[in-house]
Amino acid sequence: KLFSSNNNPLIPIFHCLGQNLTELNPRTREPLRFDKRYERYLRPAGLMGLMNICKAGLPSIDRALVSALVDRWRPETHTFHMPCGEVTITLQDVAMILGLPISGRAVTVNATESQNELVERYLGKSPPPLDRPRPGLRVSWVRAEFNNCPEDADEETVKQHARAYILSLISGVLFPDASGDLYTFYPFPLIADLDNIGSYSWGSATLAYLYRSMCAACRRQSDQSNLTGCLLLLQLWSWERFPIGRPDMVKLKYPNVEELEDERDKPTVGLRWVVGMCTRRAAPARCYEHFTNEFDLLTDDQVVWCPYRKELVKELQLAPICTQDSHLWLTQAPLIYFYMVEVYTPERVMRQFGLHQSCPPPLRDTSVELHW
């Protein structure tokens, strides 16, 4: 049996409501078309790993799989409770899979200019008014204006298109808006300063936003609930850890790292799920109930507790950013994304770092007050 911190039995939502909930509606968006001229801004920003995955082709989000996973999420501990123990997405996973920087300033800012003023100043165009006041830019407008950078564009025009592309990466993939038709505007003041984008801890902010999104989704009571957060990270993390729903990978066809211009362009672990594409899945049936039952029966030997083995890292010749912040993977500092502050609890999943797990693990409540 599984027990929460107050010794109440943990029963997935799928069962406890006495009815079969429908799958969550995942919110994620394809980024704008990539232009090689953007690379000089993406490298210092620490976004080359994410760009390479998107450029190779984002995998479709498996709604049934992520819905079954979220049913196992516990807001009290920020971990997935499985029959064989607790697991969670850590800062190590963010760095290894997406190659996002962990060290850096908190992703938060007090903007001194209005949304329209910032857009006109840094994108060179005035955004159309929204139906109701919301902090965001309409996806259709951004695509229409910035999806193609002119070949004869001057340096300032390239910068404007690069900012729009980075906005589509950060607001569309890492922090997707629940509305489905907007790029959230919160990160834009940080994106506007192309020289200092890399000074922020985008990795910890991505994890904070995903934690908050799953905390909301696991309490759902509606049959038409959305799931935001970086679902690319959630799905690739699941494929790294569990055999459930994992695609059968073909022989990897990584780019020749010897021909790369910069070592920062090297791949991340997440890229292997894109370049090793395969349409057939290991699961015989990709339905919500099937995945729920599979997680109910998950055994200890089915979990890949330490997927980032030294031999794998050496074989893949990963980008330096994947491991450069390893000294922070076990930190107990809070994760911050603007108004979201989430407790990070690596002490509950020490097996994921190849370390001894005390049982029961020390309790640090994730604090209901923080969610308000």
Side-chain angles (χ1 to χ4, degrees):
K1 289 185 178 181
L2 300 176
F3 293 92
S4 67
S5 56
N6 58 358
N7 290 332
N8 291 326
L10 301 182
I11 304 175
I13 291 178
F14 184 88
H15 300 297
C16 71
L17 292 183
Q19 60 180 336
N20 291 355
L21 290 177
T22 57
E23 300 165 356
L24 290 160
N25 182 29
R27 294 294 193 184
T28 188
R29 299 170 191 85
E30 291 277 346
L32 300 180
R33 183 175 290 115
F34 171 74
D35 191 295
K36 194 169 179 61
R37 287 171 288 182
Y38 304 158
E39 288 184 353
R40 55 181 166 172
Y41 306 113
L42 291 169
R43 286 192 187 102
L47 296 174
M48 287 298 290
L50 179 62
M51 182 279 293
N52 283 330
I53 295 174
C54 295
K55 182 182 175 183
L58 290 173
S60 299
I61 299 300
D62 192 330
R63 298 176 56 170
L65 174 63
V66 297
S67 298
L69 265 175
V70 169
D71 285 349
R72 288 281 177 176
W73 181 256
R74 299 301 302 186
E76 302 92 340
T77 58
H78 283 165
T79 57
F80 298 99
H81 284 237
M82 302 293 177
C84 52
E86 296 178 64
V87 289
T88 196
I89 306 173
T90 68
L91 292 175
Q92 180 189 35
D93 296 303
V94 179
M96 299 296 287
I97 294 174
L98 300 182
L100 294 176
I102 305 301
S103 178
R105 293 182 287 174
V107 176
T108 184
V109 67
N110 290 322
T112 57
E113 299 177 72
S114 69
Q115 175 174 309
N116 286 358
E117 290 174 336
L118 284 168
V119 172
E120 290 181 14
R121 179 179 174 186
Y122 290 106
L123 295 186
K125 299 179 184 292
S126 178
L130 300 176
D131 300 334
R132 54 189 177 88
R134 289 182 290 175
L137 295 177
R138 198 175 296 281
V139 173
S140 57
W141 177 77
V142 176
R143 287 193 173 279
E145 298 290 343
F146 300 99
N147 201 38
N148 296 290
C149 186
E151 293 185 6
D152 58 349
D154 57 26
E155 184 178 356
E156 184 57 32
T157 301
V158 172
K159 283 185 176 181
Q160 291 169 352
H161 281 74
R163 290 188 184 102
Y165 177 78
I166 294 174
L167 175 69
S168 72
L169 275 182
I170 289 180
S171 292
V173 180
L174 301 183
F175 312 108
D177 185 83
S179 66
D181 64 343
L182 292 181
Y183 286 130
T184 181
F185 191 75
Y186 289 113
F188 187 79
L190 309 183
I191 296 170
D193 185 1
L194 290 173
D195 295 330
N196 290 309
I197 297 177
S199 65
Y200 293 93
S201 177
W202 295 107
S204 65
T206 297
L207 201 54
Y209 192 76
L210 180 58
Y211 278 6
R212 178 64 62 94
S213 299
M214 291 192 293
C215 286
C218 75
R219 296 184 175 100
R220 71 189 188 279
Q221 297 181 354
S222 168
D223 282 342
Q224 302 296 327
S225 299
N226 295 328
L227 176 61
T228 59
C230 186
L231 303 185
L232 172 66
L233 173 62
L234 175 60
Q235 182 160 289
L236 296 185
W237 173 85
S238 175
W239 289 349
E240 288 286 343
R241 299 283 176 181
F242 313 117
I244 301 170
R246 179 189 296 164
D248 295 330
M249 292 173 54
V250 298
K251 184 178 180 181
L252 302 182
K253 298 179 181 178
Y254 268 111
N256 187 349
V257 295
E258 304 299 332
E259 299 177 357
L260 296 176
E261 300 177 5
D262 194 300
E263 66 174 3
R264 290 173 291 183
D265 298 347
K266 290 182 178 180
T268 63
V269 171
L271 187 62
R272 73 194 190 117
W273 295 104
V274 180
V275 298
M277 290 185 294
C278 183
T279 55
R280 186 173 67 86
R281 291 185 175 273
R286 292 173 54 238
C287 67
Y288 183 25
E289 185 175 1
H290 167 80
F291 287 136
T292 300
N293 291 335
E294 287 293 301
F295 281 122
D296 284 346
L297 300 173
L298 190 69
T299 58
D300 185 89
D301 60 335
Q302 290 179 301
V303 180
V304 182
W305 295 101
C306 299
Y308 315 117
R309 304 177 307 277
K310 289 184 179 180
E311 54 270 26
L312 174 65
V313 173
K314 183 178 180 180
E315 174 191 352
L316 299 183
Q317 300 185 59
L318 300 177
I321 197 171
C322 291
T323 55
Q324 71 180 22
D325 295 328
S326 59
H327 61 289
L328 296 175
W329 291 346
L330 285 170
T331 184
Q332 293 187 351
L335 310 173
I336 298 173
Y337 172 72
F338 292 95
Y339 60 90
M340 299 180 183
V341 182
E342 297 294 326
V343 174
Y344 178 56
T345 57
E347 70 274 9
R348 303 188 70 91
V349 292
M350 298 301 282
R351 281 190 290 180
Q352 294 182 208
F353 298 95
L355 302 174
H356 172 72
Q357 177 63 60
S358 60
C359 186
L363 175 63
R364 280 196 301 135
D365 199 310
T366 53
S367 181
V368 174
E369 288 76 14
L370 286 178
H371 284 193
W372 292 95

